Amino acid sequence: MQEHGDSPDAVQGQLFSMSGDEQVTRGYRGSVASKVAGITYRQLDYWARKQIMEPSITQSHGSGSRRLYSVKDIVVLAVLKHLLDIGVNLPNATSAVSFLSQKSTNELGAVTIVCDGDQVVDCKSSEQLFEIMTSGKAVFAMSVNVIWQQVQDDLSTEDYIDLDEHSELCGKMRRPLEEMAIERLRQKIARQQSEHREYASMHFV
């Protein structure tokens, strides 16, 4: 993965610096990560074992241990899947994964990946995109932000592990649909209490 115009001999570590990320408060099991990324669990397991795309929260350490993926991990998995689907070879796709993994979640939203068949580049301007588009090669462009939004939508109804150290359920499984039901019940009780207070104030003044 390189910026368009850089020397092919440039060292990736010199091109892209590690960016700080916000605290991760939710972890997703491999079954959820593979489902949302659109890949099989077997493929997810293979990528993790070959260190192509490993979970950033918890890696598997033998039988019985579970991998935990962050939202950003799942976004990167989905990007990797799309790149392979359009014919990008594994070395280039893996390079793109390494590049995206170094970006913070905020930075990922501004990334547009462009593949011209020979390389995968991070396109930073309309001028750069025009240069690539007029190169005479078949070009595929992918907005990481679009994939990010889709992943977040798909995860909104999936179970997750609560990693928030301030939460009473830290380290335990949470179910979004149950949370929605609880919140609706809280709102119903609050409305009933409000109506009761209004009724009392009208009749007992």
Side-chain angles (χ1 to χ4, degrees):
M1 179 78 182
Q2 63 182 50
E3 294 185 62
H4 189 68
D6 286 319
S7 166
D9 297 325
V11 178
Q12 181 171 322
Q14 295 174 335
L15 289 175
F16 306 112
S17 60
M18 183 69 74
S19 300
D21 228 343
E22 62 266 31
Q23 182 182 7
V24 176
T25 59
R26 294 188 178 191
Y28 296 89
R29 291 179 174 173
S31 56
V32 173
S34 59
K35 173 185 174 183
V36 173
I39 60 177
T40 65
Y41 187 85
R42 183 176 180 180
Q43 193 171 23
L44 180 82
D45 180 64
Y46 177 81
W47 286 349
R49 286 188 290 105
K50 294 298 183 180
Q51 299 181 329
I52 295 171
M53 178 58 207
E54 297 178 282
S56 62
I57 299 175
T58 304
Q59 299 180 18
S60 178
H61 299 288
S63 178
S65 63
R66 292 182 180 274
R67 299 185 182 101
L68 280 184
Y69 292 80
S70 68
V71 176
K72 187 175 80 169
D73 292 338
I74 300 173
V75 171
V76 176
L77 284 168
V79 171
L80 175 57
K81 191 259 186 185
H82 282 296
L83 289 174
L84 295 176
D85 283 349
I86 64 172
V88 176
N89 61 41
L90 187 57
N92 274 335
T94 303
S95 181
V97 166
S98 178
F99 163 69
L100 294 175
S101 296
Q102 295 180 64
K103 293 289 186 181
S104 70
T105 52
N106 290 332
E107 291 171 328
L108 274 182
V111 171
T112 298
I113 289 178
V114 179
C115 175
D116 64 4
D118 294 326
Q119 59 182 343
V120 181
V121 300
D122 172 27
C123 192
K124 295 183 177 297
S125 67
S126 56
E127 292 80 8
Q128 189 179 16
L129 179 60
F130 178 77
E131 181 183 349
I132 299 173
M133 294 290 289
T134 55
S135 65
K137 299 179 180 180
V139 174
F140 176 85
M142 178 194 308
S143 170
V144 177
N145 186 56
V146 172
I147 296 177
W148 182 278
Q149 295 299 326
Q150 184 61 56
V151 166
Q152 285 193 312
D153 288 344
D154 292 343
L155 287 176
S156 64
T157 56
E158 297 291 343
D159 297 346
Y160 64 91
I161 304 297
D162 194 339
L163 303 175
D164 187 350
E165 60 182 7
H166 301 297
S167 170
E168 294 180 356
L169 296 177
C170 182
K172 297 182 179 180
M173 178 73 75
R174 302 289 295 270
R175 300 184 183 277
L177 294 180
E178 290 180 0
E179 292 177 2
M180 292 171 61
I182 292 172
E183 181 59 28
R184 285 196 294 268
L185 179 60
R186 287 174 178 168
Q187 293 176 356
K188 180 179 179 180
I189 293 174
R191 286 196 301 269
Q192 291 175 341
Q193 290 176 337
S194 177
E195 291 171 356
H196 178 74
R197 286 193 295 269
E198 290 179 2
Y199 178 84
S201 64
M202 291 173 59
H203 292 80
F204 300 101
V205 174

